[in-house]
Amino acid sequence: MMNAGIIVVAVLLGSYLAFSRRLRSSSNWQATVTPLASIMGSGFLVSAPLLAGVVGNLAVVCMAVLLVLAYLVGAVIRFNIRHFEPIENDGHGPAQDVGVLSRIVLVAAYFISVTYYLELLAAFLLKSLGMHSQMAADGITTLLLLIIGGIGMWRGLKSLEVLEKYAVAFNLGMIGALLGSLVIYNVHLLLGGTWALADISSVIDFHDMRVLLGLLIVVQGFETSRYLGDAHPAEQRITTMRNAQIISTVIYLSFIGLATVLFRDGLGSDVTAIISMTKPVAVILPILIAVAAIGSQFSAAVADTEGAGGLLEDITHFELPIRYAYLLILVVTILLTWKTNVNEIIAYASRAFALYYMLQSIVAWFVAWQMKDLPHRSARLLMFSLVAIVCFLVFTLGIPSG
């Protein structure tokens, strides 16, 4: 019954999200689902096992800390949408110069995130086949990069965008089914008197702190609202980005809290451990998770490849043709693939986005400094400074989990 119920919930919720005319015609939903899907995309899959391996039963507390940091960074991005975007192209000033640098850093972060998504896809694919081979993972990632880059250079990536809609819908449907099944599983254990947390290490030392800093990527993705200006006005992006962060916070904390009872020794740094973790809940869950992981990571890689290509065009004032931008992305991401493993690329992605967030915080600081009549100006300047410092610590100290 549990397996059948999970399939029904995943299919119904996924189908509603994919085919609902009401959602399709809702501008607010479209502006919300883009950052929400980005936040939930890969971080949801790796967060529980990685946190369990690092901090044990304190995972939900540490996830809350990461989410608070992400929300504060989101506040910085929202401030820049409202106050910096209107003056971004008005000459040269400290804010504008740092803003240009931040866009260059974001391109590099996209290079790393594309590699991250496809390395994670390869890891889940091999796990579902019962295989573990770094060379095979690198080969699969390279093949997928060649496919995406080749299509991009040949005819652009618009033809692959349709996959994103269905992958996002199925991934969110799977998340809903997983949360529902975890609630039932926890209630069943409580009623049976067998609910108990595993006796695993929950001590946090300096090394663990550095690993936690390297996990910022699991709650990253909200900044996509910053670059939806062609489709959505500023105030709508500000509101929907905030909503996406609040929704994702509730989902993440619920998931980690409900999954804590599944933690055990030996999870270590296995990013695909969510598959084996959920087997006691229902035998169908590992299959659903693997399929959703493969689809969501591919669509995320396509989206970030397209985003990086567009940013390269913009930065070079369209002097770099898009096919050469995709060629550059292809070369760099293949090099990254063969130089890193999936745990290393998670930390590198976190550090790259942390550097981008730090620069965005500096932009916000300069803008706020120039606005003498800004409400709560001193408090905002202090917050922007603190966020920049924390992001700098993530950039300098974040390390892989294994």
Side-chain angles (χ1 to χ4, degrees), residues 91-127:
H92 290 282
Q96 285 81 2
D97 292 342
V98 177
V100 170
L101 179 59
S102 75
R103 285 157 67 197
I104 296 172
V105 169
L106 183 59
V107 170
Y110 275 149
F111 284 3
I112 299 171
S113 66
V114 168
T115 312
Y116 161 50
Y117 291 137
L118 294 181
E119 285 194 9
L120 193 58
L121 185 158
F124 272 95
L125 178 60
L126 290 173
K127 178 80 169 186

Side-chain angles (χ1 to χ4, degrees), residues 168-331:
V168 166
F170 182 70
N171 191 46
L172 292 176
M174 181 276 297
I175 289 172
L178 175 58
L179 288 176
S181 61
L182 284 173
V183 169
I184 295 172
Y185 183 73
N186 276 265
V187 170
H188 176 73
L189 292 180
L190 284 169
L191 294 178
T194 57
W195 192 95
L197 297 180
D199 184 17
I200 56 178
S201 173
S202 300
V203 177
I204 303 176
D205 56 22
F206 183 65
H207 178 270
D208 295 331
M209 289 293 296
R210 294 188 65 187
V211 173
L212 285 173
L213 292 175
L215 293 179
L216 179 65
I217 188 69
V218 303
V219 290
Q220 166 272 333
F222 48 86
E223 75 286 339
T224 54
S225 295
R226 172 81 166 80
Y227 302 98
L228 297 177
D230 290 341
H232 304 281
E235 289 304 318
Q236 185 182 50
R237 284 180 288 138
I238 289 168
T239 300
T240 53
M241 189 221 282
R242 183 186 296 112
N243 291 341
Q245 285 199 281
I246 292 171
I247 293 169
S248 63
T249 295
V250 173
I251 293 174
Y252 266 118
L253 293 180
S254 300
F255 170 58
I256 299 296
L258 292 167
T260 303
V261 73
L262 298 172
F263 292 175
R264 62 183 187 277
D265 272 330
L267 288 176
S269 57
D270 182 5
V271 296
T272 64
I274 186 68
I275 290 179
S276 58
M277 277 177 59
T278 54
K279 280 183 180 178
V281 180
V283 294
I284 195 64
L285 273 177
I287 299 172
L288 281 179
I289 289 172
V291 173
I294 291 168
S296 64
Q297 300 320 293
F298 184 80
S299 66
V302 171
D304 277 12
T305 300
E306 194 170 24
L311 275 172
L312 281 170
E313 277 190 312
D314 187 44
I315 290 169
T316 60
H317 304 290
F318 294 91
E319 292 184 9
L320 179 69
I322 191 64
R323 60 170 51 91
Y324 292 121
Y326 287 141
L327 177 61
L328 176 62
I329 295 166
L330 177 62
V331 171

Side-chain angles (χ1 to χ4, degrees), residues 26 35 52 66 71 125 128-129 226 247 275 322 360:
S26 171
L66 287 174
Y71 191 83
L125 178 60
S128 65
L129 297 174
R226 172 81 166 80
I247 293 169
I275 290 179
I322 191 64
Q360 283 289 301

Side-chain angles (χ1 to χ4, degrees), residues 139-160:
I140 292 170
T141 303
T142 301
L143 176 61
L144 293 171
L145 287 169
L146 287 170
I147 291 172
I148 294 172
I151 292 175
M153 288 183 284
W154 173 40
R155 54 186 295 181
L157 293 175
K158 295 294 182 184
S159 58
L160 295 180

